[in-house]
């Protein structure tokens, strides 16, 4: 059972992610041309996705620590661990773990490489994030 303080921290992060996802919706149809040409849009989109990834990782760490399981070293492994300990479905864990990888890509790669990951996030991964949030809300409320 989750401590009240941990539950509050998870809920705050869920709410934060929901706000970021809502703000990101205006960029769902973002083209590479606009992404490449408009550095303000590019910076905002990258930052929102990075914020979402960080909050997903934070939620995962809180839940793993609550299960008295060793927290893995990499962000990707942290999210995968949620699947292993049956907090979320393993396939969802694998999908969300790719977002942790995206977080690193945003920090270290060139625009064309970033773009393919960002496009995938905007068109596909957002649905998985919503599913993750729904699953975590059910988990913390039981």
């Amino acid at each position: 059972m989750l401590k009240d303080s941990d539950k509050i921290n998870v809920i705050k992060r869920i709410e934060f992610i929901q706000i970021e996802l809502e703000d990101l919706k205006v960029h769902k149809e973002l083209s590479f041309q606009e992404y490449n040409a408009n550095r303000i849009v590019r910076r905002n989109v990258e930052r929102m996705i990075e914020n979402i990834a960080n909050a997903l990782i934070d939620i995962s760490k809180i839940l793993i620590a609550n299960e008295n399981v060793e927290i893995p070293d990499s962000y990707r492994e942290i999210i995968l661990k949620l699947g292993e300990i049956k907090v979320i479905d393993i396939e969802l864990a694998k999908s969300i773990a790719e977002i942790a990888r995206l977080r690193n890509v945003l920090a270290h790669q060139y625009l064309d490489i970033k773009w393919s990951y960002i496009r995938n996030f905007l068109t596909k991964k957002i649905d998985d994030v919503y599913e993750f949030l729904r699953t975590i809300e059910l988990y913390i409320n039981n």
Side-chain angles (χ1 to χ4, degrees):
M1 179 134 179
L2 213 55
K3 294 184 296 187
D4 286 344
S5 60
D6 287 339
K7 187 174 182 177
I8 290 167
N9 283 328
V10 169
I11 290 168
K12 284 181 182 178
R13 283 167 176 82
I14 287 171
E15 290 170 349
F16 174 77
I17 291 169
Q18 289 170 331
I19 291 167
E20 292 291 277
L21 288 170
E22 191 62 34
D23 290 348
L24 202 54
K25 279 183 181 178
V26 299
H27 300 291
K28 189 163 176 77
E29 302 300 321
L30 183 66
S31 69
F32 178 72
Q33 292 72 26
E34 183 180 5
Y35 172 77
N36 191 37
N38 188 332
R39 70 177 193 275
I40 293 171
V41 168
R42 181 173 60 245
R43 191 177 309 133
N44 286 339
V45 168
E46 288 178 5
R47 185 69 177 141
M48 284 184 274
I49 293 172
E50 185 177 355
N51 287 342
I52 291 166
N54 286 330
L56 292 169
I57 292 163
D58 289 346
I59 289 169
S60 300
K61 286 180 183 178
I62 292 167
L63 296 177
I64 291 168
N66 184 68
E67 294 290 329
N68 292 318
V69 177
E70 186 175 335
I71 297 176
D73 293 330
S74 79
Y75 295 141
R76 183 177 179 281
E77 290 171 355
I78 288 169
I79 295 170
L80 290 173
K81 182 62 81 175
L82 285 184
E84 290 173 26
I85 63 174
K86 310 266 189 267
V87 172
I88 63 174
D89 176 79
I90 193 70
E91 291 306 312
L92 180 59
K94 288 177 185 177
S95 178
I96 296 297
E98 291 175 22
I99 296 170
R101 182 168 185 248
L102 170 56
R103 179 196 169 281
N104 294 333
V105 167
L106 290 174
H108 304 292
Q109 297 296 329
Y110 296 105
L111 286 184
D112 55 340
I113 295 171
K114 285 182 194 181
W115 171 248
S116 64
Y117 285 97
I118 287 170
R119 188 77 211 129
N120 186 49
F121 184 90
L122 293 173
T123 59
K124 296 180 180 125
K125 293 296 178 191
I126 283 180
D127 293 337
D128 290 339
V129 173
Y130 281 116
E131 179 62 25
F132 178 90
L133 297 179
R134 281 189 295 273
T135 303
I136 296 304
E137 284 178 326
L138 287 172
Y139 177 82
I140 66 172
N141 289 315
N142 284 332

